Amino acid sequence: MSALHLRQWPGQADRPALALHCMMGNASYWGPIAKALSDKVAIRAPDLPGHGQSPDWPGTPDFHTYTTRAVAPLIDRPMDLIGHSLGATVALRIAVAAPEAVRSLTLIEPVLFAAAPDPANDAVMRELSDLVAAGESEEAARRFLSIWGGIDWEAQTPAGRERLIRQMALVVAGNDTLMQDSANILRAGGLEAIDAPVMILMGAQSPPVIGNIADALAARLPDIGRARLPEAAHMLPITHPRQVAELIGMNLDRA
């Protein structure tokens, strides 16, 4: 397995934290948050497989499993884990598998759809998969980003559009885990075994399924805090880094 490209920022070297980005993002967007939290932690953040400067996903095992296995070696002591969207589901999967490795856990807009099945959302995700299978990945990317990306498609460079179109294959490849919980993240006793402080952050303007997921996870986590940013949507680490950093900091202090 090829090593992931790792970005890191100055901070408290005796308290390392690991931040995992969203689908179609890269680790660079953690920079402002890492700077704001440098008095508390030293944040490192990998570009996930097929993103940024990291190697592509080779096709097997499934994308979520491959990503989790690539990230796990970066955790060499009890660590503060921070994840956004896809990254939040990877962080949660690690926390369920190895609760002792987690000092605190911050989940920003976790997209573990299996925690709160939503027929409307499931239909959209199936439609995206069908578009990719039919060779219409550009239309799939447009639709996906109109819901989850918060970006102007027309403002993207040709190279940027090409990258986003290519990454739709990763979106589809993650569906079994996110929609069906093929990784068994939600197994009996799994969430309940996480004794580290957990915080779930979300934007009030995000798709309704996010609130339902947050409710379902929070009901099972022993030590949980929640926050909702009124003006924010799914990409709040990018659009509202100061507020997100403050809220992460509160969870760090709880640990």
Side-chain angles (χ1 to χ4, degrees):
M1 181 174 291
S2 300
L4 300 178
H5 177 75
L6 190 64
R7 305 170 195 250
Q8 46 195 344
W9 295 269
Q12 296 298 316
D14 60 344
R15 188 171 181 183
L18 191 67
L20 306 177
H21 66 76
C22 66
M23 182 70 76
M24 293 187 170
N26 65 66
S28 65
Y29 72 63
W30 294 113
I33 292 172
K35 183 177 180 180
L37 293 173
S38 62
D39 62 330
K40 297 180 184 292
V41 290
I43 288 182
R44 299 186 299 162
D47 290 338
L48 300 181
H51 295 75
Q53 299 179 47
S54 283
D56 287 339
W57 169 56
T60 55
D62 70 89
F63 179 69
H64 204 280
T65 296
Y66 184 86
T67 298
T68 304
R69 290 178 182 174
V71 166
L74 300 175
I75 303 171
D76 57 3
R77 69 181 90 177
M79 195 172 290
D80 298 287
L81 296 187
I82 305 161
H84 173 215
S85 192
L86 168 73
T89 69
V90 173
L92 184 60
R93 182 173 180 175
I94 290 170
V96 168
E100 70 281 0
V102 181
R103 183 168 178 172
S104 73
L105 179 64
T106 302
L107 305 174
I108 306 171
E109 298 259 325
V111 289
L112 188 55
F113 301 125
D118 180 295
N121 180 73
D122 291 350
V124 170
M125 298 305 291
R126 286 194 297 270
E127 181 181 17
L128 294 175
S129 296
D130 291 344
L131 285 169
V132 172
E136 299 182 40
S137 291
E138 179 172 351
E139 178 60 22
R142 286 175 178 267
R143 295 192 192 184
F144 178 81
L145 292 167
S146 70
I147 301 169
W148 300 105
I151 67 170
D152 181 355
W153 180 264
E154 300 304 329
Q156 303 304 302
T157 65
R161 292 181 193 174
E162 181 181 351
R163 172 179 55 80
L164 296 169
I165 291 167
R166 185 174 65 252
Q167 289 173 335
M168 277 307 301
L170 304 182
V171 174
V172 172
N175 277 351
D176 279 351
T177 297
L178 302 185
M179 297 178 66
Q180 302 173 30
D181 191 27
S182 60
N184 205 19
I185 299 169
L186 299 170
R187 60 185 175 270
L191 298 177
E192 292 79 2
I194 302 173
D195 59 1
V198 182
M199 181 172 281
I200 300 177
L201 308 183
M202 59 174 290
Q205 308 303 317
S206 293
V209 68
I210 290 294
N212 296 336
I213 293 169
D215 289 344
L217 297 179
R220 294 181 54 191
L221 290 161
D223 186 354
I224 182 70
R226 296 179 62 174
R228 182 190 302 254
L229 275 64
E231 303 301 323
H234 185 62
M235 298 304 292
L236 61 167
I238 295 175
T239 60
H240 295 72
R242 179 182 61 80
Q243 295 96 319
V244 168
E246 289 174 357
L247 291 164
I248 295 172
M250 292 172 60
N251 201 43
L252 296 173
D253 290 344
R254 294 171 62 219

